[in-house]
Amino acid sequence: EKGGYDHFMLKEINEQPRSIADCMRGRLDAKNGRLVLGGLRDYMNKFQNAKRIIITACGTSWHAGLVAEYLFEEFARIPVEVEYASEFRYRNPVVGPEDFIIAISQSGETADTLAAIELAKSKGATIFGVCNVVGSSIARATHAGSYTHAGPEIGVASTKAFTAQISVLTMMALKLGYQRGTLSESRYMQLLSELETIPSKVERALKLNDKIQVIAEKYKDSRNFLYLGRGYNFPVALEGALKLKEISYIHAEGYPAAEMKHGPIALIDEEMPVVFIATKDSSYEKVVSNIQEVKARKGKIIAVVTEGDDTVKHMADYIIEIPDTEEAFVPLISVIPLQQLSYHIAVMRGCNVDQPRNLAKSVTVE
Ligand code: F6R
């Protein structure tokens, strides 16, 4: 049932070109400028006129929510807050009928997320679910929703569900921006056609597997890792660190790269691998200076860069070149090598990749 792979996690990582395409199938038709999310139809008015979007989730799903914050604010110009469900539910949040709540959950059974939904619902907010498991508790508790259609995710570490969540949220943000007029027709069309190319670019990114195995071999005995990115790649840094912690039990932290100088830089020495996501985007130059700061302190640099990058190559110990895309879509590609890196390190350390200690696939207790 692992389809010839050693672990479900590896199978699920490799399924992503297909799971992302499945998620977009029947919804995105770039040629004709069509983007249809069935679940959104009846709530489009509410969504478009929302004063605020609140996204609530836990773990990896919360990271997808952070990516969505950048997407919704950029394309639709609606303020977004992203909340850990466990914090949101217990702090008597200010929420009401003018808020549009998006709850993200692979399993659809996460207790804290479910409780956050019930709370927001009781205050009159509209709740939209982004779930993977059809008919799950969260899917039933929300007013409307869009499934991620990633197929069953068995490995405890979430991989293909994450990219499917981002795919749904990206489509929502584009649709919303177009309807609100904050995204011009020509830009909208351009973004839709680029979005359609993502599955094949993910396919290309997956081919870096052998190179990533070499990097994993080199750093598998490290005791700590730092993951740094800015903008759309900041949530990716958090996700890369979480993946490594979960399955390899190596301590890892993700940070916005600019925050490094406010503390984590003290950790850097010749023993510390630092994974930079330094793709060619609006914060590229700034990330390059952050790389220099780490290099000056003898940290080891593993950099995820855009294909053809010629600057970081001379600074990094290892570079991982991924296909270029729109800045807003980069997380769908840049997370792939980080999933592979954590997978290979965990396997080399003899860890139980699919069922890491102390973790459950659905967290039905708070
Ligand atoms: C990470 C992971 C967890 C889940 C979190 C939320 O790989 O698996 O952090 O993302 O428990 O679960 P869902 O999405 O099912 O609500």
Side-chain angles (χ1 to χ4, degrees), residues 306-326:
T306 306
E307 276 171 0
D309 185 297
D310 204 31
T311 307
V312 176
K313 185 158 72 191
H314 306 293
M315 304 158 69
D317 294 271
Y318 290 94
I319 58 160
I320 300 164
E321 292 183 85
I322 60 169
D324 194 17
T325 184
E326 283 285 344

Side-chain angles (χ1 to χ4, degrees), residues 235-297:
V236 176
L238 297 183
E239 176 61 6
L242 179 64
K243 287 288 88 97
L244 189 70
K245 277 184 272 212
E246 280 183 292
I247 60 168
S248 75
Y249 317 138
I250 296 173
H251 171 244
E253 285 195 60
Y255 255 93
E259 277 292 306
M260 182 180 68
K261 59 182 161 305
H262 300 287
I265 198 165
L267 296 167
I268 297 187
D269 61 15
E270 58 284 348
E271 304 275 281
M272 175 69 104
V274 184
V275 179
F276 275 97
I277 306 116
T279 48
K280 279 263 164 60
D281 56 32
S282 55
S283 44
Y284 176 73
E285 304 294 334
K286 305 231 176 252
V287 179
V288 169
S289 359
N290 297 138
I291 294 177
Q292 272 156 344
E293 287 154 17
V294 170
K295 197 162 175 61
R297 288 159 185 85

Side-chain angles (χ1 to χ4, degrees), residues 58-61 105-107 110 156-158 242-243 246 363:
C58 304
T60 287
S61 299
S105 177
Q106 187 288 127
S107 64
T110 302
V156 163
S158 186
L242 179 64
K243 287 288 88 97
E246 280 183 292
V363 185

Side-chain angles (χ1 to χ4, degrees), residues 72-102:
F72 287 129
E73 293 203 345
E74 176 174 357
F75 296 132
R77 309 304 297 153
I78 297 179
V80 179
E81 282 171 36
V82 190
E83 305 263 7
Y84 283 118
S86 56
E87 289 297 315
F88 181 75
R89 65 180 286 204
Y90 283 118
R91 66 147 211 276
N92 191 13
V94 180
V95 50
E98 298 190 308
D99 291 316
F100 192 87
I101 315 286
I102 302 174

